[in-house]
Structure formats: C-alpha cells, structure tokens
Amino acid sequence: MNKILVTGACGQIGSELVVHLGREFGRENVIATDIEKPSQHLKTASTFMYLNVLDPHMIAKIVVDYEIDAIFHMAAILSARGERDPQAAYEVNMQGLVNVLEVARRKKVDKVITPSSIAAFGPDAPKENTPDNTALNPTTMYGVTKVAGEKMLQYYYLKYGVDTRSLRYPGIISAETAPGGGTTDFAVDLYIHAVTREPYACFISENTPLPFMYMPDAIKAILQLAHAEPGRLSRRVYNVNAMRLTPAEIVASIRKYIPGFRCTYQPDFRQAIADSWPHSIDDRGAREDWGWKPDFDLDAMTRDMLEKIRGKFTIL
Ligand code: SER
C-alpha cells in the first residue's frame, strides 16, 4: 500500500480517514475524491479531486495516472436516505462498488477496502452478539446493497485475486463531519444539541439498543484491517463491535457533564429500520485474526465528543 485512492472522502468516515492516511503515507500519495466540495482540512491532508463513483472511466484514469495500489471505497448512501430513494441507493452503492472492483481487476490494484454495516443483518438474525456467519436478510435497500457488496468482494477475491477487505461497522459517532442520511445519526445529534443547549427530539425510542463505535476506533479498525498480513485473514468481511447503547444511555452519559440537557422521543420511520438491526455483534473473528480491540467506552467517548464539539462551536 503506497498510493491510495479514497472515494467518499468528504463523508463522515472518509474525512477523518484521509487525515490519518495523509499523515502515514504523505499528502501526495493520498488521492481523496468526492462529488462534494472538500474542507480546507481535507485539502491540506491529501490531493483532492472531483470523482463520481458512477463514472468508471474517471476511476480508471485516476488509478492509472497516480499508480494507485489501494482503494478505500467509502462513497455510499446510508439507510434512511436509501429508504427515501431506494433506486439512488442501489445505483450509488451497488454500481459504485462494481465500478471500483472492475477498475481494481483491470488495472491491477492490489487492495480494495470498503465498509459493510450492521445493516447487512435483518430481523431474523440473532439480536445479541450476532455472529459473522448468520442469516443476512436486510429489510432496507442500504442493507441489500451491503449484503450484495459483501458477496461481490468475496467473488472478486476468489475469482480474480483482488485483495478485498471489509468490516461491518456499527453506528459511528463522531464530532468532525456530521453523518447524513443514516438511522444512527441521532447519536451525533444528541451531542451537538447538548453542547448548543438546544432540546432534542430523538427519532429513535429511548430504549432501542444499537451497536455503536466512536470514530477513533472506527479509523483504527479500518487501518488495522488494511494493514493485516493477508495470511491472517480467514474471511473477507468482519464484524467489529464496540458499545451496545440505547438513546437513553447516551443521554444519561451526556447529562453527567451537561445536567440540563433536554431530550424527548418522537420515533419516525427510522424506528423500524433500527428495530430490524442487531443490538450487539460478535467480533471474535476480528479480535482473533487481526487483533481488533476498541479503546473507547461510553463515558470516555462522551467526554471527548463534548470537548471536540465545544471546540467547533467555540462555546466555553
Ligand atoms: N450508520 C448507518 C446508518 O445508520 C449504518 O451503517 O445507516
């Protein structure tokens, strides 16, 4: 891994991943791409270019021009937005991935790393400690594209020898770039409203458990997986777990630091999506194969989140 292409670089995970990659591999060796306008931060950390993942020729051109040997494919439409426009979710998530894999195959890119999600599971999977191998019957288009994407990664690995790697992320909580269009976005909203002293109406009911992970752990996980020796990987796609949290538990943690924070619960169509997902996932495979272990628990995350968001809003 020397010359890296990142798609979806302006997104919640992409924007922080690029900063880490830029630090490790050098700004000139990280080609960050998106259809959005990049932040100054992103431009400082990487070489930024406009790229729509639905344009296979542009992907190929960048791969050839910059001698790319690894692709972090992060561009995707998340679950809630995907239910509002399932065709767009199918196109961006499925065709985007196929385009990336095809370029990887034809231009001999060594490695493709792309996230999957807890959304790959559906209501018939075990709710607690959901294993790596179990029923994959998602009820969202986002989940459908994640399951099909996982199968595509496996196919390109077996048939063409592309070193494809993926991890099933839980909901990701972060302070840097707001998530957009996800069912787990409420968790980030809770922190932002607490800091800006605004009451929050949470669109997921208070006792709904979901798996979550703090961004530094999400970045650690994807980089560890990307760097793992090929011989250590017994599968292409790994569950990664960190915390099992309900909205009420996150609110209680925030109130330790901001006692006056007010939150009400007004579940909407996203409740059914949350109800179809696991509460916690079993990540023994990742722990055993490449040493995965999260660093942050709920209160450590809350302290860090509040500090970072305060910094952004310059509230003392
Ligand atoms: N965080 C994502 C979502 O809510 C799940 O992968 O859609």
Side-chain angles (χ1 to χ4, degrees):
M1 212 159 51
N2 295 303
K3 295 260 189 174
I4 299 165
L5 166 63
V6 183
T7 70
C10 294
Q12 186 195 13
I13 305 173
S15 59
E16 299 206 28
L17 176 64
V18 163
V19 172
H20 283 80
L21 291 172
R23 236 179 259 148
E24 185 176 345
F25 295 93
R27 177 181 188 275
E28 63 290 353
N29 295 319
V30 179
I31 313 300
T33 66
D34 207 300
I35 54 172
E36 301 296 337
K37 214 171 157 188
S39 64
Q40 199 48 51
H41 212 49
L42 205 71
K43 289 202 314 205
T44 311
S46 66
T47 305
F48 186 85
M49 254 164 243
Y50 180 93
L51 173 68
N52 185 336
V53 293
L54 294 178
D55 181 349
H57 304 293
M58 270 310 292
I59 305 174
K61 180 169 167 35
I62 293 174
V63 164
V64 170
D65 286 353
Y66 291 89
E67 300 175 20
I68 298 295
D69 60 8
I71 303 177
F72 285 79
H73 176 50
M74 312 302 286
I77 290 182
L78 296 186
S79 60
R81 197 179 144 210
E83 287 315 286
R84 290 207 169 98
D85 193 347
Q87 288 73 23
Y90 180 83
E91 207 188 355
V92 171
N93 297 359
M94 226 41 258
Q95 197 56 50
L97 176 63
V98 170
N99 289 344
V100 165
L101 288 171
E102 265 302 279
V103 169
R105 173 179 78 82
R106 284 191 277 114
K107 307 299 179 200
K108 308 220 174 329
V109 174
D110 295 337
K111 232 179 239 181
V112 175
I113 304 110
T114 188
S116 185
S117 159
I118 50 162
F121 300 112
D124 59 345
K127 285 285 174 202
E128 301 295 344
N129 290 319
T130 314
D132 278 312
N133 272 331
T134 188
L136 297 173
N137 293 306
T139 50
T140 61
M141 180 55 82
Y142 175 67
V144 168
T145 64
K146 287 299 176 190
V147 173
E150 291 184 5
K151 305 294 177 201
M152 290 298 287
L153 297 180
Q154 173 85 358
Y155 185 83
Y156 271 73
Y157 171 70
L158 293 173
K159 177 118 180 154
Y160 303 118
V162 181
D163 185 350
T164 53
R165 302 179 181 201
S166 182
L167 65 190
R168 291 193 187 119
Y169 272 139
I172 307 293
I173 298 178
S174 69
E176 195 55 48
T177 305
T183 301
T184 56
D185 296 5
F186 71 87
V188 174
D189 293 345
L190 285 169
Y191 286 98
I192 293 174
H193 282 71
V195 170
T196 56
R197 301 283 196 266
E198 285 166 293
Y200 183 64
C202 184
F203 55 79
I204 297 296
S205 69
E206 61 185 309
N207 294 320
T208 307
L210 284 167
F212 279 100
M213 183 179 285
Y214 192 34
M215 183 62 90
D217 280 331
I219 299 296
K220 179 172 119 167
I222 199 167
L223 290 176
Q224 255 181 15
L225 175 62
H227 282 299
E229 283 303 317
R232 292 185 63 180
L233 303 183
S234 59
R235 46 195 309 116
R236 295 294 103 201
V237 184
Y238 287 89
N239 285 354
V240 282
N241 199 49
M243 297 173 259
R244 176 195 192 277
L245 300 175
T246 63
E249 286 166 345
I250 301 174
V251 169
S253 174
I254 292 173
R255 282 190 183 140
K256 288 183 191 166
Y257 306 94
I258 305 178
F261 175 47
R262 278 176 298 144
C263 180
T264 54
Y265 297 91
Q266 291 171 23
D268 64 13
F269 75 101
R270 290 168 280 195
Q271 182 67 42
I273 301 177
D275 288 340
S276 76
W277 289 349
H279 300 165
S280 60
I281 56 177
D282 181 351
D283 59 4
R284 250 174 308 169
R287 287 173 188 259
E288 281 164 17
D289 284 5
W290 43 275
W292 162 245
K293 191 173 166 298
D295 293 326
F296 283 84
D297 63 13
L298 174 57
D299 284 341
M301 171 175 75
T302 296
R303 281 193 297 276
D304 204 52
M305 277 292 284
L306 294 177
E307 194 184 309
K308 288 200 170 118
I309 297 171
R310 280 195 181 109
K312 281 179 91 92
F313 286 93
T314 53
I315 288 169
L316 302 172

